[in-house]
């Protein structure tokens, strides 16, 4: 008799079955873009080529969605040689980690960065600072270089015919968007100029190691330094996406289904919640942050040993964030990644709750997978319960989320202390939520 494979594993196998072809498509597209960037560097040595693209391939392998992939273009200058200046009073609302990059007077080797195409002289007559490297100007120079490099590479036959065109190069607010064709797949890259800061990661300085991350991972990541990317036409900022991707990569060294659960939800998000990418909705960055929080809230290995349970760890965190309208940034929790995203959170919440209650319909990939649909996991909505962290941040804790797992019938933890903590929170929330067990 054939062994019946659970629906969750069928879905994961379908994602994995495409992994090799996706990796090959990514490699071909990346090779095309690197060839173009080599020409950019030959035209203007201030722009370098970064060949250490392991994290880009790692992220692409996890995703089903078609969001742009970052391609960093390092500038030939180290932030340590520049003056890191806080934004002025008129720019205080720019967000955490933002700064100006000043060119010091008499700084050795900085002559290429005081030319008019990338530099604005200081109007304050500072004795220490000549002026600033302006990200908006840097982007315009990089755009013109990319156009010239694409034309050269096509005329010289350095890239496959039809793989890219200058017409697909679009100037976005904080980067350059470029479509690269690779076989049957077209991949959109976000080409972003970056400045390396080798000493210290301001976003991680003094941070404690969150539970659920491998020992020493935060220290190693902080020790590597950070990259600064455009935050506006005038300001740079620490690229937290780069830091979070490194933390995500560190999670991959742990046993369990952490990354598998992320891949499954990204596929469900793309195919179901976003109607195949046709509707606005959650990004891969949103889901990546949800996984990092879930890993911190559920640090025990047994939380991630079973695939369905691992997915529900992400789902209860995501549902709570959608119900409260607040998905905290993993490094700056006071900052919400949902604020200003322009999403219909009520409609999105309903889709995610519907999936969490009856996931089988979204997981069926073939008629043979159809069968008798199990009843909903919850008899009525849990939205009131999910909104409790908005009124009391103390609920943002493992015991509270264990209550949510129990609501969805996936709390199978044997630890007596943890069960007692969950039951204590349940008794506390029962009256507040107005629900019976």
């Amino acid at each position: 008799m054939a062994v019946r494979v659970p629906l969750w594993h069928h879905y994961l196998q379908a994602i994995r079955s495409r992994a090799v072809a996706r990796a090959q498509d990514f490699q071909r597209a990346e090779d095309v873009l690197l060839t173009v960037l080599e020409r950019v560097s030959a035209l203007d040595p201030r722009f370098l080529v970064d060949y250490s693209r392991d994290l880009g391939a790692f992220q692409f392998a996890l995703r089903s969605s078609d969001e742009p992939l970052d391609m960093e273009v390092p500038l030939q200058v180290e932030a340590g040689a520049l003056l890191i200046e806080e934004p002025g009073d008129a720019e205080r609302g720019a967000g955490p980690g933002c700064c100006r990059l000043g060119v010091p007077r008499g700084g050795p080797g900085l002559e290429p960065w005081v030319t008019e195409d990338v530099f604005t002289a200081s109007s304050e007559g500072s004795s220490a600072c000549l002026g600033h490297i302006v990200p908006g100007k840097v982007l315009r120079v990089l755009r013109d270089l990319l156009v010239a490099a694409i034309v050269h590479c096509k005329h010289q036959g350095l890239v496959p015919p039809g793989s890219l065109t200058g017409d697909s190069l679009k100037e976005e607010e904080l980067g350059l968007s470029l479509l690269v064709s690779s076989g049957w797949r077209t991949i959109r890259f976000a080409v972003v100029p970056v400045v390396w800061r080798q000493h210290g990661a301001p976003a991680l300085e003094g941070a404690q190691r969150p539970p659920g991350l491998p020992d020493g991972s935060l220290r190693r990541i902080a020790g590597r330094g950070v990259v600064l990317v455009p935050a506006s036409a005038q300001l740079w900022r620490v690229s937290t996406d780069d830091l979070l991707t490194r933390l995500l990569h560190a999670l991959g060294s742990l046993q369990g289904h952490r990354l598998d659960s992320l891949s499954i939800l990204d596929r469900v998000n793309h195919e179901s919640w976003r109607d195949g990418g046709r509707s606005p909705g959650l990004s891969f960055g949103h889901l990546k942050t949800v996984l990092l929080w879930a890993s911190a809230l559920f640090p025990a290995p047994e939380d991630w040993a079973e695939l369905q349970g691992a997915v529900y760890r992400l789902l209860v965190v995501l549902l709570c964030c959608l119900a409260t309208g607040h998905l905290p940034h993993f490094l700056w929790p006071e900052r919400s990644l949902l604020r200003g995203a322009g999403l219909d959170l009520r409609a999105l919440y309903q889709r995610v709750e519907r999936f969490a209650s009856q996931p089988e319909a979204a997981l069926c990939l073939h008629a043979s997978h159809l069968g008798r649909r199990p009843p909903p996991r919850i008899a009525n909505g849990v939205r009131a319960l999910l909104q409790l962290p908005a009124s009391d941040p103390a609920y943002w804790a493992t015991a509270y989320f264990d209550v949510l797992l129990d609501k969805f019938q996936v709390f199978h933890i044997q630890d007596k202390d943890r069960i007692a903590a969950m039951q204590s929170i349940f008794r506390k929330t029962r009256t507040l939520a107005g629900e019976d067990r």
Side-chain angles (χ1 to χ4, degrees), residues 12-201:
L12 180 61
Q13 287 171 3
I15 294 172
R16 289 176 172 173
S17 68
R18 304 180 181 184
V20 173
R22 281 177 58 83
Q24 291 173 343
D25 287 342
F26 172 80
Q27 188 64 63
R28 285 192 291 265
E30 184 187 58
D31 288 345
V32 168
L33 185 49
L34 288 174
T35 299
V36 171
L37 291 176
E38 287 171 353
R39 178 59 184 173
V40 167
S41 186
L43 291 170
D44 191 335
R46 293 177 297 183
F47 297 88
L48 305 177
V49 184
D50 180 9
Y51 295 99
S52 58
R53 293 282 301 151
D54 291 346
L55 286 181
F58 162 74
Q59 269 204 124
F60 188 75
L62 291 175
R63 291 176 15 175
S64 297
S65 50
D66 298 323
E67 299 166 33
L69 286 164
D70 285 349
M71 172 62 82
E72 296 177 349
V73 180
L75 306 186
Q76 195 174 39
V77 61
E78 210 278 313
L82 302 172
L83 300 173
I84 308 295
E85 300 179 353
E86 292 188 3
D89 292 338
E91 301 162 324
R92 290 298 179 188
C98 288
C99 64
R100 289 179 177 272
L101 291 180
V103 179
R105 292 186 182 276
L110 295 177
E111 292 81 6
W113 297 104
V114 293
T115 55
E116 187 178 356
D117 58 348
V118 296
F119 174 81
T120 296
S122 176
S123 60
E124 301 172 359
S126 170
S127 61
C129 180
L130 285 172
H132 301 90
I133 300 175
V134 181
K137 289 188 172 185
V138 173
L139 278 169
R140 286 192 289 275
V141 172
L142 181 56
R143 177 201 60 197
D144 294 343
L145 288 169
L146 280 169
V147 171
I150 290 170
V151 171
H152 173 85
C153 291
K154 289 174 66 176
H155 285 177
Q156 297 298 318
L158 300 177
V159 296
S163 58
L164 79 172
T165 170
D167 294 339
S168 73
L169 180 64
K170 306 296 182 184
E171 186 171 356
E172 308 289 347
E173 184 180 2
L174 303 176
L176 301 166
S177 175
L178 179 64
L179 287 173
V180 181
S181 177
S182 175
W184 293 99
R185 190 185 309 276
T186 299
I187 299 175
R188 182 177 295 277
F189 288 92
V191 184
V192 183
V194 302
V195 177
W196 271 100
R197 183 175 181 180
Q198 297 290 351
H199 301 292

Side-chain angles (χ1 to χ4, degrees), residues 302-326:
E302 61 183 316
D303 281 297
W304 305 96
E306 189 262 328
L307 181 58
Q308 176 186 244
V311 175
Y312 271 89
R313 265 70 182 167
L314 273 69
L315 279 172
V316 294
V317 174
L318 176 58
L319 282 168
C320 179
C321 294
L322 293 175
T324 60
H326 180 66

Side-chain angles (χ1 to χ4, degrees), residues 259-305:
L259 299 186
D260 291 337
S261 63
L262 176 61
S263 289
I264 286 176
L265 279 196
D266 183 67
R267 176 71 178 274
V268 171
N269 178 48
H270 179 71
E271 297 292 337
S272 180
W273 304 341
R274 298 191 62 175
D275 302 315
R278 293 183 296 273
S279 302
L282 297 169
S283 67
F284 181 76
H286 289 132
L287 297 178
K288 179 167 63 175
T289 300
V290 168
L291 173 58
L292 289 168
W293 278 118
S295 298
L297 290 162
F298 300 108
E302 61 183 316
D303 281 297
W304 305 96

